[in-house]
Amino acid sequence: MALLVKKPKGTADVVPSKSYMWHTVEKIVSESAQQFGFKEIRVPTFEDTGLFVRSVGETTDVVQKEMYTVTAAGDSQFTLRPEGTAGVMRAMLENGVMNEGFPQKVYYILSCFRHENVQAGRLREFHQFGCEMVGSASPRADAEVIALAKSVLDRLGLQNIVLNINSIGCPECREKYRQALKEYFEPHRDELCRTCQERLDKNPMRLLDCKSAEDQAIAKDAPAILDYLCDDCKAHFEKLKQYLTQMGIGYSVNPRIVRGLDYYTRTVFEFITTEIGAQGTVCGGGRYDGLIEQLGGAKTPALGFGMGLERLLLVMQKQGCDFIEEKTCDLYIATMGENAVNKALSMTSALRDEGFFVEYDLVERGLKPQMKYADKIGAKFVIVLGDNEIESGSAKLKNMATGEQTDITLGEKLTEQFSQAMLNEMFSGFEDEVGGIIGKDE
Ligand code: ATP
Ligand code: MG
């Protein structure tokens, strides 16, 4: 097949046979967030470019290299969101959500766009599940947000994911640290990659985030931010560690974590797996106490995290995690002739009104291909309708798993009879299970 147009590099299609995997993840992440009192927020796919430049930060990779910026005739400049937090904060401010009492807790599932070097787990359109909590400066909030992320990962069934935490301090302690970093890296200036040479002048903390192996080797002995924290930031970090321990959440302190976006303050954290290669960060987050003010709101502490859904799915598949199976067809009505089709239509409507999953022949095929189709879609029951059945007003209901056939009348009582057959079917599975367990005990 010579397809004329293919999908853009770094994007992915979800084919119908795989969508149940996404549904599983979306269901688990939203239910977990709701259980922690977070409510869903939805925001536009594109925002004013200025929003991201202001919030994500001018010296970040995202703003410097990765944004998809679009202009339409006569319009201003827009950017496809590279992350969720900025737009969500903008929306909360614009809609007065911040005036409704603290803490405000929101979650979202959305697509993000970054012009990146495409690799496994690194796409140009990817999806994030994110949570944000606004209005608490307390380390309890940090612990709670991390606990939510951990709970999500556990419920997805993921194993061997480690939590790394760090504090990058407040603007005050950070200034001293920046100075120390500059002094440390300056003698190595010529050995650094070109981007890092620029970072050295503009934002030396970004050097610690560089993915190049040579730069990482140089950064190995760089001063650690934790030695530069002011008393308040230190106390905040100590409390967080205490709360995490209290909640039974294991962590390692990793002073190399600075996170890729500029707006973070104090706590930063990542959940990392080594099982899907280099792109092992499945969740990244932290506190951003300055962001809301930077966007024109009142000074308000806040924090959150983002999880890459594609990366979560990669690990889940690798680790053989369970996915929630999609519902399958309860009843397929095979038809022979126009009278049967008419009957099938009214039966289908009545059964669907009762909540059953019903299909019938839409392609005008013979009985054999219809039965094959019913088998392929995993229909639990099949009824074959022909002129004889219409005339006699009764048909055979075939249980596809057991091959068992029962008589069913086609009149008004049809849905009742079918409900009973479905119940029997469910109950027979249950009986087997109970029987099995009793058998074992004896
Ligand atoms: P990385 O260091 O891997 O580039 P990041 O610091 O840029 O990650 P964040 O901006 O914190 O990532 O985004 C949160 C999460 O979104 C990441 O932890 C990751 O799981 C996921 N993510 C980020 N970029 C991509 C991408 N290009 N493709 C797929 N998932 C991504
Ligand atoms: Mg990145």
Side-chain angles (χ1 to χ4, degrees):
M1 180 179 53
L3 202 56
L4 295 180
V5 183
K6 295 197 172 166
K7 67 177 187 299
K9 187 175 171 192
T11 65
D13 302 312
V14 178
V15 294
S17 61
K18 291 281 161 46
S19 55
Y20 72 98
M21 294 184 173
W22 282 84
H23 294 161
T24 300
V25 173
E26 286 159 3
K27 182 170 156 55
I28 292 176
V29 302
S30 15
E31 283 178 1
S32 310
Q34 285 164 16
Q35 198 204 15
F36 278 65
F38 286 66
K39 286 200 156 77
E40 191 185 12
I41 185 164
R42 297 192 185 197
V43 294
T45 307
F46 59 91
E47 298 271 1
D48 236 275
T49 301
L51 175 71
F52 302 114
V53 177
R54 259 175 181 281
S55 55
V56 175
E58 235 154 332
T59 60
T60 57
D61 280 357
V62 167
V63 168
Q64 285 189 339
K65 304 187 284 199
E66 298 171 1
M67 293 207 303
Y68 282 94
T69 296
V70 291
T71 43
D75 253 346
S76 39
Q77 228 180 27
F78 296 110
T79 294
L80 301 183
R81 61 180 168 225
E83 54 101 54
T85 307
V88 165
M89 287 305 123
R90 194 253 333 120
M92 289 174 81
L93 284 166
E94 199 164 335
N95 293 282
V97 179
M98 309 285 189
N99 308 327
E100 292 167 17
F102 290 142
Q104 284 296 328
K105 300 182 281 185
V106 298
Y107 76 91
Y108 48 84
I109 298 172
L110 43 73
S111 48
C112 299
F113 307 84
R114 297 185 190 176
H115 193 257
E116 304 221 52
N117 284 329
V118 177
Q119 303 160 49
R122 191 172 293 287
L123 296 160
R124 291 185 172 170
E125 180 184 12
F126 63 99
H127 296 78
Q128 272 191 2
F129 159 64
C131 287
E132 316 289 349
M133 188 193 292
V134 174
S136 172
S138 165
R140 289 181 204 173
D142 304 55
E144 176 83 346
V145 163
I146 291 174
L148 169 52
K150 169 90 170 87
S151 161
V152 168
L153 299 172
D154 286 347
R155 283 173 197 217
L156 290 171
L158 299 175
Q159 313 264 329
N160 305 327
I161 307 250
V162 296
L163 166 62
N164 282 350
I165 59 171
N166 188 24
S167 173
I168 56 171
C170 58
E172 267 162 50
C173 20
R174 212 176 307 164
E175 200 33 56
K176 287 188 212 125
Y177 181 56
R178 258 175 220 219
Q179 223 32 60
L181 278 182
K182 271 192 176 167
E183 280 162 30
Y184 174 82
F185 281 109
E186 193 57 57
H188 301 282
R189 182 180 278 273
D190 296 340
E191 304 153 51
L192 296 169
C193 74
R194 184 172 296 200
T195 323
C196 279
Q197 294 184 3
E198 264 175 52
R199 287 170 169 154
L200 186 50
D201 299 317
K202 291 188 189 153
N203 192 348
M205 268 171 76
R206 286 270 81 77
L207 281 160
L208 302 178
D209 208 32
C210 183
K211 304 264 184 317
S212 122
E214 291 81 19
D215 290 15
Q216 277 182 8
I218 299 170
K220 203 165 64 68
D221 299 315
I225 177 85
L226 294 173
D227 297 328
Y228 291 80
L229 295 185
C230 64
D231 289 346
D232 284 352
C233 287
K234 222 180 261 171
H236 186 99
F237 195 50
E238 288 308 313
K239 267 279 179 232
L240 167 63
K241 290 192 283 185
Q242 179 194 322
Y243 291 151
L244 289 177
T245 305
Q246 200 63 37
M247 291 193 285
I249 298 176
Y251 62 84
S252 340
V253 174
N254 180 349
R256 288 285 167 266
I257 292 189
V258 292
R259 311 284 308 118
L261 317 176
D262 257 4
Y263 50 58
Y264 288 106
T265 51
R266 290 194 167 167
T267 311
V268 288
F269 62 91
E270 290 185 350
F271 284 88
I272 301 169
T273 167
T274 50
E275 292 179 32
I276 49 168
Q279 321 308 327
T281 307
V282 291
C283 172
R287 183 169 273 287
Y288 46 89
D289 290 345
L291 176 62
I292 293 169
E293 194 181 21
Q294 216 170 298
L295 295 178
K299 187 165 169 43
T300 315
L303 72 163
F305 65 76
M307 282 188 191
L309 299 188
E310 283 83 359
R311 290 189 195 175
L312 290 178
L313 280 160
L314 279 176
V315 191
M316 285 178 75
Q317 282 167 275
K318 182 106 195 279
Q319 297 187 344
C321 296
D322 288 335
F323 289 93
I324 302 165
E325 299 281 333
E326 298 283 83
K327 266 194 169 177
T328 51
C329 180
D330 295 321
L331 174 65
Y332 181 83
I333 307 177
T335 54
M336 291 180 294
E338 201 54 25
N339 286 339
V341 171
N342 281 324
K343 186 74 191 166
L345 291 178
S346 58
M347 282 167 63
T348 301
S349 302
L351 287 162
R352 282 180 181 162
D353 284 350
E354 291 302 311
F356 292 112
F357 178 164
V358 185
E359 290 195 44
Y360 57 94
D361 175 41
L362 297 171
V363 194
E364 306 200 11
R365 283 190 288 215
L367 185 58
K368 211 167 159 196
Q370 287 188 59
M371 294 306 283
K372 218 168 151 186
Y373 176 79
D375 197 46
K376 190 173 141 203
I377 62 172
K380 296 184 193 82
F381 290 93
V382 169
I383 292 178
V384 179
L385 289 187
D387 286 339
N388 286 345
E389 282 76 14
I390 306 301
E391 227 162 80
S392 69
S394 79
K396 297 267 185 234
L397 177 71
K398 182 175 179 188
N399 181 325
M400 294 294 275
T402 62
E404 195 187 335
Q405 305 218 26
T406 45
D407 288 318
I408 197 160
T409 51
L410 301 178
E412 278 175 10
K413 293 270 160 62
L414 174 77
T415 52
E416 251 169 64
Q417 296 167 77
F418 187 66
S419 302
Q420 193 54 52
M422 285 286 290
L423 270 179
N424 289 347
E425 167 68 13
M426 271 158 58
F427 192 62
S428 83
F430 179 66
E431 252 177 357
D432 287 351
E433 230 167 70
V434 174
I437 291 164
I438 293 171
K440 232 182 245 165
D441 277 355
E442 279 166 358

